[in-house]
Amino acid sequence: EERVGQIITFGTMAAKNAVKDVARVFNVSLSEANEMTKAFPSKLGITIQEALETSVDLKEVAERNDINRKVFHIAQKLEGNHRQPGRHAAGVV
């Protein structure tokens, strides 16, 4: 028991999560935040930049007003950063 440690994991901010979290900080309505994330292409692991280049609908939503532009700008900076630590379910050293 004295020589056992659990393995830490780090949850990272994916593209949609980053957009939704930043939108929440800017008091964007839930329906508009959902519209932002629903406009993302359904490609696994897509970045915000790649999504904006791929989806005309997403680009339109992102450039609709100043708040949306800020949300996407800040979300791109946060994307990939650690969001929260956790413990691996079965990882023991």
Side-chain angles (χ1 to χ4, degrees), residues 22-43:
V22 174
R24 189 176 316 119
V25 170
F26 280 103
N27 291 322
V28 173
S29 70
L30 186 59
S31 61
E32 191 168 351
N34 285 338
E35 181 184 1
M36 290 177 188
T37 57
K38 286 180 183 177
F40 269 80
S42 60
K43 179 183 174 192

Side-chain angles (χ1 to χ4, degrees), residues 1 7-8 20 22-23 30-32 39 58-60 76 84-86 93:
E1 289 181 24
I7 297 173
I8 191 169
K20 210 151 203 178
V22 174
L30 186 59
S31 61
E32 191 168 351
L58 182 63
K59 190 166 184 142
E60 184 179 299
Q76 281 182 303
Q84 77 276 344
V93 177

Side-chain angles (χ1 to χ4, degrees), residues 4-22:
V4 175
Q6 293 197 314
I7 297 173
I8 191 169
T9 62
F10 292 101
T12 57
M13 295 187 81
K16 286 182 181 182
N17 290 345
V19 168
K20 210 151 203 178
D21 285 351
V22 174

Side-chain angles (χ1 to χ4, degrees), residues 34-54:
N34 285 338
E35 181 184 1
M36 290 177 188
T37 57
K38 286 180 183 177
F40 269 80
S42 60
K43 179 183 174 192
L44 189 62
I46 195 167
T47 64
I48 295 171
Q49 184 63 40
E50 187 180 353
L52 288 170
E53 292 170 357
T54 306

Side-chain angles (χ1 to χ4, degrees), residues 55-86:
S55 173
V56 175
D57 293 338
L58 182 63
K59 190 166 184 142
E60 184 179 299
V61 169
E63 294 178 357
R64 182 175 294 157
N65 55 45
D66 286 340
I67 294 292
N68 288 15
R69 279 190 282 279
K70 280 184 183 179
V71 166
F72 277 84
H73 178 74
I74 294 170
Q76 281 182 303
K77 293 181 182 290
L78 294 175
E79 183 180 23
N81 285 323
H82 296 297
R83 185 165 192 227
Q84 77 276 344

